Amino acid sequence: MPLICLVRHGQASADAGDYDVLSGLGRAQASAVGRELARRGLRDPYLVAGTLTRQRDTARIAAEAAGFQGSLHQDARWNEYDHLALLGRYAPPRNEERSVQDLLDHALTAWMEDSGPAEGRTWTAFADGARTALAELSATLGRGRDAVVFTSAGLIAAVCGALLSLPAEGVVALNRVAVNASLTTLVVGGSGTTLLTFNEHAHFAGDRRRMLTYR
């Protein structure tokens, strides 16, 4: 049965002028997850990435580390939501008692509950795009071929939430704990696509634990 590995991008540049650029650590994380992908012996992997720079660069670095020779396909349906726009639209005024992560959780929950936002698309449209992209990818894989998708935490949480029929708070909880350059594995069978593992990051264990980041 085909396997689909969802890879969260490496650490972005939160403190730089352009967030959508891998940090130095993010590049190292991308190389580490590439080596982990090589270890798994994926079959003729079909490579897909969103169109964001941090996603495409993670894909390029990981593919080089893994020795993958196939072309990288791009699909904007795997792009992350704009977290800064969400914070500006839904987050309550920041105070010293609430972390940025708490504010983002609040904003994400509010977005999921908002059926008709005045600006931007709905959460339903965002999540449906990811599910449709996954369904199309699953349908194109033969029995002897796997796939790797380089995407972001929000998309991975949306897909896993749909596969597990989770409520909104469950999806937010998955999004919160997603590790940079982690692996989530799906298996495609006769009855559909099933979640096999979530947020694997053993490639950042032991003496590589210093590489473990969430944002």
Side-chain angles (χ1 to χ4, degrees):
M1 293 184 289
L3 295 177
I4 299 176
C5 294
L6 305 179
V7 179
R8 189 188 177 197
H9 62 77
Q11 184 188 61
S13 299
D15 297 326
D18 185 359
Y19 176 83
D20 191 25
V21 174
L22 292 179
S23 67
L25 176 56
R27 297 174 67 84
Q29 291 168 336
S31 184
V33 76
R35 293 190 294 272
E36 173 61 20
L37 288 166
R39 187 190 68 81
R40 297 185 177 209
L42 300 177
R43 300 163 298 175
D44 186 25
Y46 185 90
L47 307 179
V48 186
T51 63
L52 300 177
T53 299
R54 61 189 184 275
Q55 296 170 336
R56 291 185 288 108
D57 285 353
T58 297
R60 178 180 56 80
I61 295 168
E64 182 176 355
F68 295 154
Q69 301 299 316
S71 300
L72 176 65
H73 306 269
Q74 296 184 48
D75 186 340
R77 290 176 297 184
W78 292 108
N79 287 2
E80 183 65 295
Y81 55 77
D82 185 340
H83 71 286
L84 294 178
L86 284 190
L87 287 171
R89 190 181 310 150
Y90 295 111
R94 185 174 180 182
N95 59 56
E96 295 181 359
E97 297 180 357
R98 303 194 68 170
S99 67
V100 173
Q101 183 60 57
D102 287 338
L103 294 174
L104 181 58
D105 289 351
H106 176 95
L108 184 56
T109 300
W111 182 37
M112 296 171 77
E113 294 173 348
D114 188 350
S115 60
E119 300 177 20
R121 58 179 169 166
T122 64
W123 163 264
T124 299
F126 170 80
D128 283 351
R131 289 194 291 268
T132 300
L134 175 63
E136 291 177 5
L137 176 60
S138 299
T140 64
L141 295 175
R143 287 180 175 269
R145 192 172 198 190
D146 301 318
V148 184
V149 180
F150 298 89
T151 182
S152 299
L155 279 298
I156 295 171
V159 166
C160 292
L163 292 175
L164 297 175
S165 300
L166 295 180
E169 56 267 27
V171 176
V172 173
L174 293 181
N175 183 76
R176 183 184 184 99
V177 300
V179 169
N180 288 117
S182 60
L183 283 161
T184 292
T185 306
L186 314 177
V187 60
V188 182
S191 59
T193 301
T194 304
L195 177 64
L196 191 61
T197 68
F198 170 71
N199 203 32
E200 296 176 82
H201 54 277
H203 44 292
F204 299 134
D207 60 0
R208 296 188 297 276
R209 186 172 177 80
R210 59 181 175 77
M211 298 175 67
L212 180 67
T213 60
Y214 296 88
R215 296 290 175 264

